[in-house]
Amino acid sequence: MSLLFAVTMLAQAAGAAQPPDDLVEIVDTMAQERGDPTPVLVLGTSHLSSLPDDFATDRFDPLLDRLEAWAPEAIAIEGIAGPQCDYLHDYIPELFADYCPDPAPARTALGLTGAEAHAEAMALLKTAPADRTVPQRLRLSALFLAMGEPESALVQWLRVPEGARDDLPADLLSILERYDRRQNENVILGARLAVRLGLDRVYRVDDQASFSEPADFEAYGKEITAIWDNAPTKRRIAEYKTWDAALIDGSLSMLEWYRRYNSPGSLALAMAGDFGAAAAGNTPTDAGQSYLAYWETRNLRMVANIRQVIGAGTRTLAIVGVSHKPYYDRYLGMMSNIELADTEAILSGED
């Protein structure tokens, strides 16, 4: 006899209420009784590569200060992990070219496969961080590059004193120097926050394996473009342009910029004009339904990857393109022992 059936029979015998329609509520209740849910903070972001090349990255310091004070134990970023990049390289090479770093130089330099580099890196990471030597950190940098995890390679490299950072093969050193100058949220926020916090890595949790090319790509493109030609989308794009210009000219602070991007009103425009419009769209090839299936599958897999990072209770910050945030919040909010942090409150200094 199953445990659930036994509990149900005992409850009925005692005259208690019937089990809930959603049986997972039993798990929710028991997790609540334990009383120590794992905090998870979802920070929606504009893709920072769109900022001018000369944008001063020290302007992100107030945001990094706020996130550092929240003290995550793990950081998830919007990037595809090495094993899926290897899959894309073999099966969907055009997506590999678009989304994945090339691990070949590091694998050649080390004489290792991605799997071998992963095994060695995980063994090194079992040692206490305080006991990790400079040669070990440099080795980890090279191993992370061979794994297809350049942001984590950068984290290790930046934790090495500047005078010792050059003790790597020249081509790998060049890759790290290029990533150190990269203007995107995975580096400016994810990697640099990890260094501040003394973390060893960040976690790539994106997914593109759900992509499938439409049978009639030309028709799909026309239909989805028409679906997105709506008032909420136009208003959202206009708001973004106004906010971005104000950030660049200095009349809007970095924290206020992020508060606006993460505000429910702005997120609602994205849901209505993008995914809501796709869900409601009724076109000859059903482009909206195809797009929504891809988007929801991608977000489900991304959140599954984050759930794996959280594991038994790792306080986690997830940094992701802002249109993903409502889906992250919904799916992570379904987990029995996870508690979503109030992003607006943290950006406002209220938590």
Side-chain angles (χ1 to χ4, degrees):
M1 178 167 33
S2 72
L3 176 59
L4 179 57
F5 182 72
V7 170
T8 302
M9 294 299 292
L10 286 170
Q12 290 175 343
Q18 293 292 318
D21 291 336
D22 178 2
L23 295 178
V24 181
E25 288 182 13
I26 296 171
V27 185
D28 296 341
T29 299
M30 297 176 78
Q32 290 165 11
E33 288 173 355
R34 172 171 163 143
D36 59 347
T38 300
V40 176
L41 171 60
V42 179
L43 178 71
T45 182
S46 170
H47 291 307
L48 303 182
S49 57
S50 64
L51 293 174
D53 291 341
D54 61 352
F55 189 87
T57 55
D58 61 0
R59 289 188 59 192
F60 288 91
D61 286 350
L63 173 63
L64 290 170
D65 292 344
R66 198 65 56 84
L67 297 175
E68 183 180 5
W70 192 75
E73 299 164 324
I75 301 169
I77 61 172
E78 188 179 343
I80 299 174
Q84 187 176 120
C85 280
D86 286 346
Y87 164 83
L88 294 177
H89 180 274
D90 292 341
Y91 287 90
I92 318 178
E94 61 272 21
L95 290 185
F96 175 86
D98 287 343
Y99 291 102
C100 294
D102 184 6
R107 292 178 184 180
T108 299
L110 297 178
L112 297 174
T113 66
E116 289 168 341
H118 178 272
E120 184 179 340
M122 295 305 104
L124 276 172
L125 289 175
K126 289 180 180 178
T127 62
D131 298 334
R132 206 156 293 141
T133 65
V134 166
Q136 285 177 325
R137 291 203 181 280
L138 292 174
R139 180 67 177 180
L140 279 166
S141 292
L143 292 169
F144 275 125
L145 288 176
M147 290 164 58
E149 304 277 347
E151 296 86 2
S152 293
L154 184 63
V155 170
Q156 288 293 332
W157 187 67
L158 290 175
R159 293 190 63 186
V160 170
E162 286 192 32
R165 289 178 186 171
D166 294 346
D167 194 14
L168 278 171
D171 51 350
L172 303 192
L173 185 61
S174 175
I175 294 170
L176 289 165
E177 289 173 340
R178 288 201 306 273
Y179 264 86
D180 191 28
R181 296 190 297 270
R182 184 156 291 195
Q183 290 272 81
N184 70 31
E185 60 273 16
N186 290 346
V187 171
I188 294 173
L189 302 182
R192 298 197 181 284
L193 180 60
V195 173
R196 282 186 175 214
L197 292 165
L199 303 179
D200 275 321
R201 64 176 302 183
V202 294
Y203 293 87
R204 287 178 151 238
V205 299
D206 197 3
D207 179 278
Q208 286 293 342
S210 57
F211 174 82
S212 59
E213 187 168 318
D216 188 339
F217 195 82
E218 184 177 355
Y220 173 88
K222 290 179 180 178
E223 289 177 13
I224 203 69
T225 299
I227 285 170
W228 288 337
D229 184 14
N230 57 60
T233 294
K234 291 174 182 176
R235 180 181 165 191
R236 175 171 58 93
I237 291 172
E239 285 185 347
Y240 285 179
K241 287 181 178 178
T242 300
W243 299 343
D244 294 355
L247 176 75
I248 291 167
D249 70 22
S251 59
L252 191 68
S253 73
M254 184 62 65
L255 283 170
E256 179 59 26
W257 191 59
Y258 269 92
R259 280 193 289 267
R260 293 186 183 187
Y261 266 92
N262 284 270
S263 67
S266 177
L267 294 170
L269 289 175
M271 294 302 102
D274 193 328
F275 316 108
N282 192 348
T283 59
T285 72
D286 247 346
Q289 298 301 304
S290 298
Y291 170 72
L292 189 64
Y294 151 75
W295 181 255
E296 291 187 338
T297 302
R298 180 182 173 197
N299 281 277
L300 283 164
R301 289 176 172 165
M302 292 170 81
V303 168
N305 292 334
I306 294 169
R307 184 66 184 89
Q308 188 171 17
V309 171
I310 296 166
T314 304
R315 185 181 180 93
T316 299
L317 165 67
I319 302 168
V320 71
V322 70
S323 293
H324 293 270
K325 177 174 166 56
Y327 282 88
Y328 269 38
D329 287 345
R330 167 182 269 199
Y331 298 151
L332 286 165
M334 294 167 61
M335 307 297 170
S336 298
N337 56 353
I338 288 174
E339 181 178 66
L340 287 172
D342 186 335
T343 306
E344 285 191 289
I346 290 166
L347 292 174
S348 299
E350 298 170 8
D351 187 1

